[in-house]
Amino acid sequence: MSDKDKMSADRLAALAGQASNYLAKATERVVVVLMAVLVLMVWLGIMVRYFVDLPITFTEEASRYLMIWVALLAVSIGISKRSHIGVLTVFDMMGRRMQRLMLLTIDITAFSLFAFLFFYSFGMVEKGWSRVTMIYFIPKSIPFMIVPVATALAAVQIVLSAMRDQFGGFVEPGASQSDI
């Protein structure tokens, strides 16, 4: 590889890493806000159930949907930092070239899965327009929309992380936050 090609690959890796970090930070902010609302919603549900006799029944359903949104959005954050669950015993015994190949194989497989889920989630969202939630009586498509959003976000993070790791700034899975 020539010096010019190496510089281009390093630049591409740096841009992909920056884009991945920016997207992860923005997603983290959304997740923090949703978690705060979730905690408040659960506390409100506890208060009205056990301490204050108010006919507030929406907290359980809102908490359920908020938890699903938080969990699905957090997937892309884990992907960007390569901090999702994995077994590193075999990975650590490989050389750097084999590690990159293994990561690329996993990235292609994961991208295929998320692309499949993204494509087929639109059918679920479409069918949700004809059903309503138990308490809010809103179309179920509204809470179901997180599936295409989260799978698209995860797929983008996989592509950015793969570019970062394959073209330069290799992030070893299982590395601590300070190592990244």
Side-chain angles (χ1 to χ4, degrees):
M1 182 183 278
S2 71
D3 287 341
K4 187 176 182 179
D5 291 339
K6 177 75 172 128
M7 285 176 46
S8 294
D10 288 343
R11 190 174 307 127
L12 183 61
L15 286 173
Q18 288 172 351
S20 178
N21 287 338
Y22 176 78
L23 196 55
K25 294 284 185 203
T27 306
E28 285 174 0
R29 288 184 183 100
V30 171
V31 167
V32 166
V33 169
L34 291 176
M35 275 300 294
V37 172
L38 173 62
V39 168
L40 292 173
M41 198 65 61
V42 169
W43 274 105
L44 178 62
I46 291 169
M47 296 304 288
V48 300
R49 180 174 286 171
Y50 298 110
F51 301 109
V52 182
D53 193 21
L54 290 174
I56 298 176
T57 58
F58 67 88
T59 57
E60 182 183 337
E61 188 173 57
S63 299
R64 183 181 320 128
Y65 290 129
L66 284 169
M67 184 182 68
I68 293 167
W69 277 63
V70 166
L72 290 177
L73 287 173
V75 168
S76 68
I77 298 167
I79 290 170
S80 74
K81 297 176 182 178
R82 293 237 187 249
S83 61
H84 45 294
I85 297 173
V87 179
L88 299 177
T89 306
V90 175
F91 186 83
D92 288 340
M93 289 190 283
M94 297 177 175
R96 186 66 96 194
R97 182 170 266 153
M98 282 303 295
Q99 286 178 341
R100 283 182 189 258
L101 181 62
M102 182 181 234
L103 279 180
L104 183 61
T105 303
I106 291 169
D107 287 339
I108 290 169
T109 304
F111 179 83
S112 300
L113 171 70
F114 284 116
F116 177 83
L117 289 172
F118 176 76
F119 179 74
Y120 282 101
S121 67
F122 286 105
M124 179 182 70
V125 172
E126 184 181 334
K127 289 177 185 173
W129 288 114
S130 62
R131 302 183 321 185
V132 294
T133 60
M134 289 175 31
I135 295 173
Y136 291 124
F137 297 108
I138 60 171
K140 284 198 171 186
S141 287
I142 293 172
F144 288 173
M145 283 183 197
I146 189 56
V147 177
V149 169
T151 54
L153 193 57
V156 168
Q157 281 290 17
I158 288 171
V159 169
L160 292 172
S161 297
M163 289 171 58
R164 176 194 63 212
D165 293 348
Q166 295 300 319
F167 294 122
F170 183 75
V171 174
E172 190 168 325
S176 70
Q177 277 305 105
S178 61
D179 295 340
I180 297 176

